[in-house]
Amino acid sequence: MALLFEQLLNGLQFGAMLFMLASGLTLIFGIMGVINLTHGSFYMVGAYCGAFALAHTNSFAAGAVAGLAGAALYGLLVEFTVIRRLYKRDHLYQVLATFGLILFTNEAVSMIFGRQPPMVEIPDFLQGTVPLAPGFQYPLMRLAFIVVGALVALGLWFLINRTRVGMLVRAGADDREMVDALGIDIQKLYSVVFGLGALLCGLAGVMAAPLLAVEIGMGERVLITTFVVIVIGGVGSVRGAMAGALLVGMVDSLGRAYFPQLLGAMLSPEVADMLAAGLVSASVYVLMALVLIFRPKGLLG
Amino acid sequence: MSGIAVPGRGAAGLFTQWNRRAVFGWVGLLLLALVPVASHATDTPYLINAMTRFVIYGLAAVSLDLVLGYGALISFGHAMFFGLGGYVVAIVTFHAVEAGPLFGWAGSTQALVVWPIALACCALLGWGVGYLALRTSGVQFIMITLAFGQMVYFILVSLQVYGGDDGLMMSQRSQLPGIDLADPVSFYYVSLAVLALWTLFCVKLVNSRYGMVLQALRQSERRAVNLGVAPMPYRLSAFVISAVGTGMAGILWANYAELVTPDMAAWTKSGELMAIVILGGVGTLLGPIAGAAVFLGLEQALSAWTEHWMFIMGPILVLVVLAGKHGLFGHWLGKRHG
């Protein structure tokens, strides 16, 4: 029982991280129709900048600021130099250009910060565990992740549903030309959304740095899972990103915990071990395939 | 086709675009056929190896262009077929030579047995993935093919019996009756023959009635559907054919490198293949082959110059996109569509 509870919370934590990445990616696609593979690189840049600042100042606050600022600034730079010129182009060319940017970013980060992956300690005030129920302890860091994820979701909901910028974002996602024709500078709106998306990537990167390895290529791994989230939820929908992120987070963490046991009960140990490792990694893709069979446009698309 | 002059194109009507392609193709083939001679004459044996790599990547690129350029299906998981083709050959060889039987079958090292099996596996996977992915279109299609590619990648990584992360060494190349594939020159010619025949097949295919329907679907699905065309069979078959061609490239790669690794199916490999096609000119079939030469040549030259070659390669890809949509050779080869 305690194991199940812990796995559910782990799923929630992974889901919170995926949501931070998926919401920005899906908004950018919804408004400008740009498929941006560089999104994962912003997450990596955020994690590296955060780790670098933390190592040099020993202050988690400084690390957080550096991570957020680094990711957001890099995002704006990429938007300004490349993405801006791509939004009327075919997806094919967007994919190639942003693929090129990934190669560049990975190499640039390893040249600036070195090949040795930095170690990031959990900050003092987030160390330790919290008793959530009698006999059940949960790491404070992961709990903080869930809380921050919930705050981000609330903030985005408020921004999109209760503010003028949000109104324009919603309108832009539905009909870009119409918003443009109404005299709104859609390019500026787009830059704001892009910067916000990159900022959220930075936040995810800073938060993930103490929990996961900060290394070159971390962005691509999570980017592809983020794509799965968006496809499951429905491309262009923030609510879909939320649903997809939670679903993928849960399936991944429950799969990791229970698949090996489940297979072990049915098959011989060697076969079960081999299959389980593959199935756990592949489980979210199987989930995606299942969703698509019944709803080709995603759950909320 | 070749007798019709195309106005507004070509060097003062000297070549029509199809003539120009034919000349480009046949002269290219002739030059490629002379590579071993040149390699022998100049005493540069590594040239054959470099050109074999190029020919294999060219094969994958032509196959990808079939779906990318003629079907407008942006498959971002195509490396899964490259990986699968290679792995099937390596696994069957592994069972035949080193390990025991596979599902009660002793395995084989005969190319005429193993290669068709590998191609059939690729066709089957292509059919399954295509069937699911083609239910969607646009950006979802890109993401779904990417996700399926990753699924294959993770499954290959988890195959501990076959080396997991490190991949599987092939103790010997496949055997063809009468041809020694272990000899680099023979292997090069076999690869080149496969590339030439497959390219010819693809050129015929896209100019056939079938190919015309495929392109009509790309230009306007609604118009084609109103004319009574069911899109799914055309797109799915094109996807499967493309999967088979890419799988063949994987088979040749496994034999060339005598090693298969999960990286063969990684998404970065799919990205590379896509970059090669776009570099050479989408929808020109021959352009992507030239794109393979440029990409591999650049990779080799840059990586010899600096270990941070991707720092330069990345921006080059961005610039190619920003410069236009014809790639390096697409304009010259005359894309038949906008």
Short mmCIF file of all heavy atoms in Angstrom, two decimals, chain A residues 29 35 37 89 91-93 95-97 99-100 102-104 107 111 220 224 227 231 235 274 278 281 285 288 292-293 296-297, chain B residues 74 76 132 135-136 139-140 142-144 146-147 150-151 154 158 161 267-268 274-275 278 308 310-311 314-315 318 321 324-325:
data_model
loop_
_atom_site.label_atom_id
_atom_site.label_comp_id
_atom_site.label_asym_id
_atom_site.label_seq_id
_atom_site.Cartn_x
_atom_site.Cartn_y
_atom_site.Cartn_z
N PHE A 29 3.14 25.61 -30.53
CA PHE A 29 2.62 24.96 -31.73
C PHE A 29 1.22 25.45 -32.03
O PHE A 29 0.87 25.73 -33.17
CB PHE A 29 2.62 23.44 -31.59
CG PHE A 29 2.11 22.79 -32.84
CD1 PHE A 29 2.92 22.70 -33.94
CD2 PHE A 29 0.80 22.38 -32.94
CE1 PHE A 29 2.44 22.18 -35.13
CE2 PHE A 29 0.31 21.86 -34.12
CZ PHE A 29 1.14 21.75 -35.21
N ILE A 35 6.82 23.51 -35.00
CA ILE A 35 7.25 22.35 -34.23
C ILE A 35 8.71 22.58 -33.86
O ILE A 35 9.58 22.71 -34.71
CB ILE A 35 7.01 21.03 -34.99
CG1 ILE A 35 7.65 19.87 -34.25
CG2 ILE A 35 7.51 21.08 -36.41
CD1 ILE A 35 7.15 18.54 -34.72
N LEU A 37 11.92 21.44 -31.93
CA LEU A 37 12.67 20.39 -31.24
C LEU A 37 13.64 20.96 -30.21
O LEU A 37 14.11 20.25 -29.33
CB LEU A 37 13.48 19.56 -32.25
CG LEU A 37 12.72 18.84 -33.36
CD1 LEU A 37 13.67 17.99 -34.16
CD2 LEU A 37 11.62 17.99 -32.79
N ARG A 89 6.88 28.18 -42.75
CA ARG A 89 7.46 27.10 -43.54
C ARG A 89 6.82 25.76 -43.18
O ARG A 89 6.19 25.60 -42.15
CB ARG A 89 8.97 27.03 -43.28
CG ARG A 89 9.71 28.32 -43.61
CD ARG A 89 9.85 28.52 -45.09
NE ARG A 89 10.63 27.47 -45.71
CZ ARG A 89 11.96 27.47 -45.76
NH1 ARG A 89 12.65 28.46 -45.24
NH2 ARG A 89 12.60 26.50 -46.34
N HIS A 91 6.44 21.97 -41.92
CA HIS A 91 6.97 21.32 -40.70
C HIS A 91 8.33 20.67 -40.93
O HIS A 91 9.18 20.63 -40.07
CB HIS A 91 6.01 20.25 -40.21
CG HIS A 91 4.71 20.80 -39.71
ND1 HIS A 91 4.63 22.00 -39.05
CD2 HIS A 91 3.46 20.32 -39.76
CE1 HIS A 91 3.38 22.24 -38.74
NE2 HIS A 91 2.64 21.23 -39.15
N LEU A 92 8.48 20.11 -42.13
CA LEU A 92 9.71 19.40 -42.46
C LEU A 92 10.94 20.28 -42.23
O LEU A 92 11.93 19.85 -41.65
CB LEU A 92 9.63 18.98 -43.94
CG LEU A 92 10.79 18.20 -44.51
CD1 LEU A 92 10.98 16.92 -43.74
CD2 LEU A 92 10.52 17.89 -45.97
N TYR A 93 10.84 21.55 -42.66
CA TYR A 93 11.99 22.44 -42.55
C TYR A 93 12.16 22.93 -41.11
O TYR A 93 13.28 23.16 -40.65
CB TYR A 93 11.84 23.60 -43.53
CG TYR A 93 11.72 23.08 -44.94
CD1 TYR A 93 10.49 22.97 -45.57
CD2 TYR A 93 12.85 22.61 -45.61
CE1 TYR A 93 10.38 22.42 -46.83
CE2 TYR A 93 12.75 22.07 -46.87
CZ TYR A 93 11.52 21.98 -47.48
OH TYR A 93 11.42 21.42 -48.73
N VAL A 95 11.54 21.07 -38.58
CA VAL A 95 12.20 19.94 -37.91
C VAL A 95 13.70 19.97 -38.17
O VAL A 95 14.51 19.84 -37.25
CB VAL A 95 11.58 18.60 -38.38
CG1 VAL A 95 12.47 17.44 -37.99
CG2 VAL A 95 10.20 18.42 -37.80
N LEU A 96 14.09 20.18 -39.43
CA LEU A 96 15.52 20.15 -39.75
C LEU A 96 16.27 21.31 -39.07
O LEU A 96 17.33 21.11 -38.48
CB LEU A 96 15.75 20.22 -41.26
CG LEU A 96 17.24 20.20 -41.64
CD1 LEU A 96 17.90 18.91 -41.19
CD2 LEU A 96 17.44 20.40 -43.12
N ALA A 97 15.69 22.50 -39.13
CA ALA A 97 16.37 23.66 -38.55
C ALA A 97 16.52 23.49 -37.04
O ALA A 97 17.59 23.75 -36.48
CB ALA A 97 15.61 24.94 -38.87
N PHE A 99 16.49 20.70 -35.43
CA PHE A 99 17.42 19.59 -35.21
C PHE A 99 18.86 20.11 -35.25
O PHE A 99 19.69 19.76 -34.42
CB PHE A 99 17.20 18.51 -36.27
CG PHE A 99 18.14 17.34 -36.19
CD1 PHE A 99 18.04 16.43 -35.17
CD2 PHE A 99 19.13 17.16 -37.15
CE1 PHE A 99 18.91 15.35 -35.10
CE2 PHE A 99 20.01 16.09 -37.09
CZ PHE A 99 19.89 15.19 -36.06
N GLY A 100 19.12 20.98 -36.23
CA GLY A 100 20.45 21.60 -36.30
C GLY A 100 20.77 22.39 -35.05
O GLY A 100 21.89 22.36 -34.54
N ILE A 102 19.70 21.78 -32.08
CA ILE A 102 20.01 20.85 -30.98
C ILE A 102 21.49 20.45 -31.03
O ILE A 102 22.19 20.48 -30.02
CB ILE A 102 19.14 19.58 -31.07
CG1 ILE A 102 17.71 19.90 -30.73
CG2 ILE A 102 19.66 18.51 -30.12
CD1 ILE A 102 16.81 18.70 -30.78
N LEU A 103 21.95 20.09 -32.24
CA LEU A 103 23.37 19.72 -32.38
C LEU A 103 24.25 20.87 -31.87
O LEU A 103 25.20 20.67 -31.12
CB LEU A 103 23.71 19.43 -33.85
CG LEU A 103 22.95 18.30 -34.54
CD1 LEU A 103 23.48 18.10 -35.96
CD2 LEU A 103 23.10 17.00 -33.76
N PHE A 104 23.89 22.08 -32.31
CA PHE A 104 24.66 23.26 -31.91
C PHE A 104 24.63 23.46 -30.40
O PHE A 104 25.66 23.65 -29.76
CB PHE A 104 24.08 24.48 -32.64
CG PHE A 104 24.62 25.79 -32.14
CD1 PHE A 104 25.86 26.23 -32.57
CD2 PHE A 104 23.90 26.56 -31.25
CE1 PHE A 104 26.37 27.43 -32.11
CE2 PHE A 104 24.41 27.76 -30.78
CZ PHE A 104 25.65 28.19 -31.21
N GLU A 107 26.62 20.93 -28.33
CA GLU A 107 28.06 21.13 -28.43
C GLU A 107 28.47 22.41 -27.70
O GLU A 107 29.49 22.45 -27.00
CB GLU A 107 28.44 21.21 -29.91
CG GLU A 107 29.82 20.72 -30.23
CD GLU A 107 30.11 19.34 -29.71
OE1 GLU A 107 29.36 18.42 -30.00
OE2 GLU A 107 31.13 19.19 -28.98
N MET A 111 31.02 22.77 -24.59
CA MET A 111 32.22 23.59 -24.71
C MET A 111 32.29 24.61 -23.57
O MET A 111 33.37 24.90 -23.05
CB MET A 111 32.24 24.33 -26.06
CG MET A 111 32.66 23.43 -27.23
SD MET A 111 32.15 24.08 -28.83
CE MET A 111 33.40 25.33 -29.10
N GLU A 220 16.94 15.90 -25.03
CA GLU A 220 16.30 15.12 -26.07
C GLU A 220 15.46 13.99 -25.48
O GLU A 220 14.37 13.71 -25.96
CB GLU A 220 17.35 14.51 -27.02
CG GLU A 220 17.95 15.52 -27.96
CD GLU A 220 19.19 16.13 -27.38
OE1 GLU A 220 19.03 17.11 -26.61
OE2 GLU A 220 20.29 15.66 -27.66
N ILE A 224 11.25 13.90 -26.15
CA ILE A 224 10.46 12.90 -26.87
C ILE A 224 9.30 12.43 -26.00
O ILE A 224 8.18 12.25 -26.48
CB ILE A 224 11.37 11.76 -27.35
CG1 ILE A 224 12.22 12.34 -28.49
CG2 ILE A 224 10.59 10.59 -27.84
CD1 ILE A 224 13.46 11.61 -28.78
N PHE A 227 6.72 15.00 -26.31
CA PHE A 227 5.92 14.83 -27.53
C PHE A 227 4.81 13.82 -27.30
O PHE A 227 3.68 14.03 -27.73
CB PHE A 227 6.81 14.35 -28.68
CG PHE A 227 7.51 15.45 -29.40
CD1 PHE A 227 8.49 15.18 -30.33
CD2 PHE A 227 7.20 16.78 -29.15
CE1 PHE A 227 9.13 16.20 -31.00
CE2 PHE A 227 7.83 17.80 -29.81
CZ PHE A 227 8.82 17.50 -30.74
N VAL A 231 0.85 14.48 -27.81
CA VAL A 231 0.03 13.68 -28.72
C VAL A 231 -1.12 13.03 -27.97
O VAL A 231 -2.26 13.02 -28.44
CB VAL A 231 0.90 12.62 -29.43
CG1 VAL A 231 0.03 11.62 -30.16
CG2 VAL A 231 1.84 13.29 -30.41
N VAL A 235 -2.75 17.93 -29.55
CA VAL A 235 -1.79 18.98 -29.89
C VAL A 235 -2.45 20.36 -29.81
O VAL A 235 -3.53 20.57 -30.34
CB VAL A 235 -1.21 18.74 -31.29
CG1 VAL A 235 -0.25 19.85 -31.65
CG2 VAL A 235 -0.54 17.40 -31.36
N MET A 274 14.27 -9.55 -19.06
CA MET A 274 14.60 -8.93 -20.33
C MET A 274 13.42 -8.14 -20.87
O MET A 274 13.55 -6.99 -21.29
CB MET A 274 15.01 -10.01 -21.32
CG MET A 274 15.67 -9.49 -22.56
SD MET A 274 16.09 -10.85 -23.65
CE MET A 274 14.70 -10.84 -24.75
N GLY A 278 12.53 -3.63 -21.33
CA GLY A 278 12.08 -3.03 -22.58
C GLY A 278 10.67 -2.47 -22.47
O GLY A 278 10.39 -1.37 -22.91
N SER A 281 10.36 0.92 -20.54
CA SER A 281 10.73 2.08 -21.35
C SER A 281 9.70 2.34 -22.43
O SER A 281 9.45 3.47 -22.81
CB SER A 281 12.09 1.85 -22.00
OG SER A 281 12.99 1.34 -21.08
N TYR A 285 4.87 4.65 -24.82
CA TYR A 285 4.58 4.66 -26.26
C TYR A 285 3.41 3.75 -26.58
O TYR A 285 2.62 4.01 -27.48
CB TYR A 285 5.83 4.25 -27.05
CG TYR A 285 7.01 5.11 -26.72
CD1 TYR A 285 8.04 4.64 -25.93
CD2 TYR A 285 7.07 6.43 -27.15
CE1 TYR A 285 9.11 5.45 -25.60
CE2 TYR A 285 8.13 7.24 -26.83
CZ TYR A 285 9.15 6.74 -26.05
OH TYR A 285 10.20 7.55 -25.71
N MET A 288 0.43 5.64 -25.79
CA MET A 288 0.13 6.58 -26.86
C MET A 288 -0.56 5.88 -28.03
O MET A 288 -1.56 6.39 -28.56
CB MET A 288 1.41 7.25 -27.35
CG MET A 288 1.18 8.29 -28.40
SD MET A 288 2.70 8.83 -29.13
CE MET A 288 3.14 7.37 -30.05
N LEU A 292 -4.33 6.64 -29.47
CA LEU A 292 -4.53 7.04 -30.86
C LEU A 292 -5.49 6.14 -31.60
O LEU A 292 -6.19 6.58 -32.51
CB LEU A 292 -3.19 7.06 -31.59
CG LEU A 292 -2.36 8.28 -31.27
CD1 LEU A 292 -1.00 8.13 -31.89
CD2 LEU A 292 -3.03 9.52 -31.78
N ILE A 293 -5.50 4.85 -31.21
CA ILE A 293 -6.40 3.94 -31.90
C ILE A 293 -7.84 4.39 -31.67
O ILE A 293 -8.68 4.37 -32.57
CB ILE A 293 -6.18 2.50 -31.40
CG1 ILE A 293 -4.84 1.99 -31.93
CG2 ILE A 293 -7.31 1.58 -31.87
CD1 ILE A 293 -4.41 0.68 -31.33
N PRO A 296 -7.78 9.53 -32.53
CA PRO A 296 -6.61 9.96 -33.31
C PRO A 296 -6.17 11.39 -33.00
O PRO A 296 -5.02 11.73 -33.20
CB PRO A 296 -7.12 9.84 -34.75
CG PRO A 296 -8.19 8.81 -34.71
CD PRO A 296 -8.84 8.97 -33.37
N LYS A 297 -7.06 12.24 -32.51
CA LYS A 297 -6.66 13.62 -32.24
C LYS A 297 -6.24 13.83 -30.79
O LYS A 297 -6.03 14.97 -30.35
CB LYS A 297 -7.79 14.57 -32.59
CG LYS A 297 -7.95 14.77 -34.09
CD LYS A 297 -8.77 15.99 -34.37
CE LYS A 297 -8.89 16.30 -35.86
NZ LYS A 297 -7.62 16.38 -36.57
N ILE B 74 5.90 13.16 -43.15
CA ILE B 74 7.17 13.46 -42.49
C ILE B 74 7.43 12.41 -41.42
O ILE B 74 7.06 12.56 -40.27
CB ILE B 74 7.14 14.88 -41.91
CG1 ILE B 74 6.76 15.86 -43.02
CG2 ILE B 74 8.51 15.23 -41.33
CD1 ILE B 74 6.57 17.27 -42.56
N PHE B 76 9.52 10.74 -38.87
CA PHE B 76 10.68 11.09 -38.06
C PHE B 76 11.17 9.87 -37.28
O PHE B 76 11.91 10.00 -36.31
CB PHE B 76 10.32 12.23 -37.11
CG PHE B 76 11.50 13.03 -36.63
CD1 PHE B 76 11.30 14.24 -36.00
CD2 PHE B 76 12.79 12.59 -36.81
CE1 PHE B 76 12.37 15.00 -35.55
CE2 PHE B 76 13.87 13.34 -36.36
CZ PHE B 76 13.66 14.54 -35.74
N LEU B 132 -1.12 2.77 -37.80
CA LEU B 132 -1.49 3.61 -36.65
C LEU B 132 -1.20 5.08 -36.91
O LEU B 132 -2.02 5.96 -36.65
CB LEU B 132 -0.73 3.14 -35.40
CG LEU B 132 -1.26 1.87 -34.76
CD1 LEU B 132 -0.33 1.43 -33.65
CD2 LEU B 132 -2.66 2.09 -34.22
N ARG B 135 -3.38 7.35 -39.27
CA ARG B 135 -4.70 7.81 -38.81
C ARG B 135 -4.65 9.30 -38.52
O ARG B 135 -5.67 9.95 -38.38
CB ARG B 135 -5.12 7.05 -37.57
CG ARG B 135 -5.25 5.56 -37.79
CD ARG B 135 -5.29 4.82 -36.47
NE ARG B 135 -6.46 5.16 -35.70
CZ ARG B 135 -7.62 4.52 -35.79
NH1 ARG B 135 -7.75 3.53 -36.64
NH2 ARG B 135 -8.64 4.87 -35.06
N THR B 136 -3.44 9.81 -38.36
CA THR B 136 -3.29 11.23 -38.06
C THR B 136 -2.53 11.88 -39.21
O THR B 136 -2.13 11.23 -40.17
CB THR B 136 -2.46 11.42 -36.79
OG1 THR B 136 -1.16 10.94 -37.05
CG2 THR B 136 -3.06 10.68 -35.63
N VAL B 139 1.60 17.47 -37.75
CA VAL B 139 2.59 17.41 -36.69
C VAL B 139 2.43 16.15 -35.85
O VAL B 139 3.39 15.61 -35.32
CB VAL B 139 2.54 18.69 -35.84
CG1 VAL B 139 1.33 18.69 -34.96
CG2 VAL B 139 3.80 18.84 -35.01
N GLN B 140 1.20 15.67 -35.75
CA GLN B 140 0.99 14.45 -34.97
C GLN B 140 1.68 13.26 -35.63
O GLN B 140 2.22 12.40 -34.96
CB GLN B 140 -0.49 14.16 -34.81
CG GLN B 140 -1.07 14.85 -33.61
CD GLN B 140 -2.56 14.75 -33.57
OE1 GLN B 140 -3.23 15.18 -34.50
NE2 GLN B 140 -3.08 14.16 -32.53
N ILE B 142 4.37 13.37 -37.33
CA ILE B 142 5.80 13.49 -37.03
C ILE B 142 6.09 12.92 -35.65
O ILE B 142 7.01 12.13 -35.46
CB ILE B 142 6.24 14.97 -37.07
CG1 ILE B 142 5.93 15.58 -38.43
CG2 ILE B 142 7.71 15.11 -36.73
CD1 ILE B 142 6.26 17.06 -38.51
N MET B 143 5.29 13.35 -34.68
CA MET B 143 5.55 12.95 -33.30
C MET B 143 5.32 11.46 -33.10
O MET B 143 6.04 10.81 -32.34
CB MET B 143 4.66 13.74 -32.36
CG MET B 143 5.02 15.21 -32.33
SD MET B 143 3.95 16.07 -31.18
CE MET B 143 4.51 17.74 -31.42
N ILE B 144 4.30 10.93 -33.76
CA ILE B 144 4.00 9.51 -33.56
C ILE B 144 5.09 8.64 -34.17
O ILE B 144 5.54 7.67 -33.57
CB ILE B 144 2.62 9.17 -34.15
CG1 ILE B 144 1.56 9.83 -33.29
CG2 ILE B 144 2.41 7.68 -34.21
CD1 ILE B 144 0.27 10.00 -33.99
N LEU B 146 8.09 9.47 -34.57
CA LEU B 146 9.24 9.66 -33.68
C LEU B 146 9.11 8.76 -32.44
O LEU B 146 10.06 8.08 -32.03
CB LEU B 146 9.31 11.12 -33.25
CG LEU B 146 10.40 11.54 -32.29
CD1 LEU B 146 11.76 11.25 -32.88
CD2 LEU B 146 10.29 13.02 -31.95
N ALA B 147 7.91 8.73 -31.88
CA ALA B 147 7.70 7.94 -30.67
C ALA B 147 7.85 6.45 -30.95
O ALA B 147 8.45 5.72 -30.15
CB ALA B 147 6.31 8.23 -30.10
N GLN B 150 11.43 5.61 -31.11
CA GLN B 150 12.03 5.52 -29.78
C GLN B 150 11.68 4.20 -29.10
O GLN B 150 12.48 3.62 -28.38
CB GLN B 150 11.55 6.68 -28.89
CG GLN B 150 12.26 7.97 -29.15
CD GLN B 150 13.76 7.81 -29.05
OE1 GLN B 150 14.44 7.64 -30.05
NE2 GLN B 150 14.30 7.84 -27.85
N MET B 151 10.46 3.75 -29.37
CA MET B 151 10.03 2.47 -28.79
C MET B 151 10.96 1.36 -29.28
O MET B 151 11.44 0.55 -28.48
CB MET B 151 8.60 2.21 -29.25
CG MET B 151 7.83 1.26 -28.44
SD MET B 151 6.09 1.70 -28.60
CE MET B 151 5.55 0.41 -29.64
N PHE B 154 14.35 1.67 -27.57
CA PHE B 154 14.39 1.18 -26.19
C PHE B 154 14.33 -0.34 -26.13
O PHE B 154 14.95 -0.96 -25.27
CB PHE B 154 13.27 1.79 -25.36
CG PHE B 154 13.55 3.21 -24.96
CD1 PHE B 154 12.67 4.23 -25.27
CD2 PHE B 154 14.71 3.52 -24.28
CE1 PHE B 154 12.94 5.53 -24.91
CE2 PHE B 154 14.99 4.82 -23.91
CZ PHE B 154 14.10 5.83 -24.23
N SER B 158 17.18 -2.81 -24.55
CA SER B 158 16.89 -3.74 -23.46
C SER B 158 17.20 -5.19 -23.83
O SER B 158 17.08 -6.07 -22.98
CB SER B 158 15.42 -3.61 -23.05
OG SER B 158 14.62 -4.15 -24.07
N VAL B 161 20.54 -9.99 -24.14
CA VAL B 161 21.11 -11.17 -24.80
C VAL B 161 21.90 -10.76 -26.03
O VAL B 161 22.91 -11.38 -26.38
CB VAL B 161 19.97 -12.13 -25.21
CG1 VAL B 161 20.55 -13.43 -25.72
CG2 VAL B 161 19.04 -12.38 -24.04
N TRP B 267 16.70 8.34 -32.46
CA TRP B 267 15.99 9.42 -33.16
C TRP B 267 16.96 10.38 -33.83
O TRP B 267 16.62 10.99 -34.84
CB TRP B 267 15.06 10.16 -32.20
CG TRP B 267 15.76 11.16 -31.35
CD1 TRP B 267 16.54 10.90 -30.27
CD2 TRP B 267 15.78 12.57 -31.53
NE1 TRP B 267 17.02 12.06 -29.77
CE2 TRP B 267 16.57 13.11 -30.52
CE3 TRP B 267 15.18 13.43 -32.45
CZ2 TRP B 267 16.81 14.46 -30.40
CZ3 TRP B 267 15.42 14.78 -32.33
CH2 TRP B 267 16.22 15.28 -31.32
N THR B 268 18.18 10.47 -33.30
CA THR B 268 19.15 11.35 -33.96
C THR B 268 19.50 10.79 -35.35
O THR B 268 19.77 11.55 -36.27
CB THR B 268 20.44 11.47 -33.14
OG1 THR B 268 20.79 10.18 -32.65
CG2 THR B 268 20.24 12.40 -31.97
N MET B 274 16.82 12.54 -42.28
CA MET B 274 15.97 13.60 -42.77
C MET B 274 16.81 14.77 -43.27
O MET B 274 16.52 15.37 -44.32
CB MET B 274 15.05 14.03 -41.64
CG MET B 274 13.77 14.64 -42.12
SD MET B 274 12.83 15.17 -40.70
CE MET B 274 11.83 13.80 -40.41
N ALA B 275 17.85 15.10 -42.53
CA ALA B 275 18.73 16.20 -42.92
C ALA B 275 19.36 15.91 -44.27
O ALA B 275 19.47 16.79 -45.13
CB ALA B 275 19.81 16.41 -41.86
N ILE B 278 16.79 16.52 -47.01
CA ILE B 278 16.49 17.94 -47.22
C ILE B 278 17.71 18.64 -47.84
O ILE B 278 17.56 19.48 -48.73
CB ILE B 278 16.08 18.60 -45.90
CG1 ILE B 278 14.82 17.94 -45.38
CG2 ILE B 278 15.85 20.08 -46.10
CD1 ILE B 278 14.41 18.37 -44.00
N HIS B 308 34.56 19.32 -31.99
CA HIS B 308 33.27 20.00 -31.81
C HIS B 308 32.59 20.24 -33.15
O HIS B 308 32.02 21.30 -33.38
CB HIS B 308 33.48 21.33 -31.09
CG HIS B 308 34.12 21.19 -29.75
ND1 HIS B 308 33.51 20.53 -28.72
CD2 HIS B 308 35.31 21.61 -29.28
CE1 HIS B 308 34.31 20.54 -27.66
NE2 HIS B 308 35.41 21.18 -27.97
N MET B 310 29.90 19.27 -34.44
CA MET B 310 28.46 19.53 -34.46
C MET B 310 28.16 21.01 -34.21
O MET B 310 27.11 21.51 -34.57
CB MET B 310 27.76 18.65 -33.44
CG MET B 310 27.64 17.22 -33.91
SD MET B 310 26.47 16.28 -32.96
CE MET B 310 27.41 15.95 -31.48
N PHE B 311 29.12 21.69 -33.57
CA PHE B 311 28.99 23.12 -33.32
C PHE B 311 28.89 23.88 -34.65
O PHE B 311 28.27 24.94 -34.73
CB PHE B 311 30.21 23.60 -32.52
CG PHE B 311 30.12 25.01 -32.04
CD1 PHE B 311 29.31 25.33 -30.96
CD2 PHE B 311 30.83 26.02 -32.66
CE1 PHE B 311 29.23 26.62 -30.50
CE2 PHE B 311 30.75 27.33 -32.21
CZ PHE B 311 29.94 27.63 -31.12
N GLY B 314 25.53 22.02 -36.99
CA GLY B 314 24.19 22.47 -36.60
C GLY B 314 23.79 23.73 -37.34
O GLY B 314 22.77 23.76 -38.05
N PRO B 315 24.58 24.81 -37.21
CA PRO B 315 24.24 26.04 -37.93
C PRO B 315 24.19 25.87 -39.44
O PRO B 315 23.39 26.52 -40.11
CB PRO B 315 25.37 27.00 -37.52
CG PRO B 315 25.78 26.52 -36.19
CD PRO B 315 25.65 25.02 -36.23
N VAL B 318 20.80 24.75 -40.20
CA VAL B 318 19.86 25.86 -40.06
C VAL B 318 19.93 26.76 -41.30
O VAL B 318 18.90 27.15 -41.86
CB VAL B 318 20.17 26.68 -38.79
CG1 VAL B 318 19.25 27.90 -38.70
CG2 VAL B 318 20.00 25.81 -37.55
N VAL B 321 18.17 25.44 -44.34
CA VAL B 321 16.71 25.65 -44.27
C VAL B 321 16.37 27.10 -44.57
O VAL B 321 15.46 27.39 -45.37
CB VAL B 321 16.18 25.26 -42.87
CG1 VAL B 321 14.72 25.67 -42.74
CG2 VAL B 321 16.33 23.78 -42.66
N GLY B 324 16.37 28.30 -48.33
CA GLY B 324 15.30 27.98 -49.26
C GLY B 324 14.82 26.57 -49.07
O GLY B 324 15.28 25.87 -48.17
N LYS B 325 13.93 26.14 -49.93
CA LYS B 325 13.34 24.83 -49.70
C LYS B 325 13.79 23.81 -50.73
O LYS B 325 13.26 22.72 -50.79
CB LYS B 325 11.83 24.92 -49.67
CG LYS B 325 11.20 25.46 -50.93
CD LYS B 325 9.69 25.50 -50.72
CE LYS B 325 9.01 26.14 -51.92
NZ LYS B 325 7.57 26.23 -51.72
#
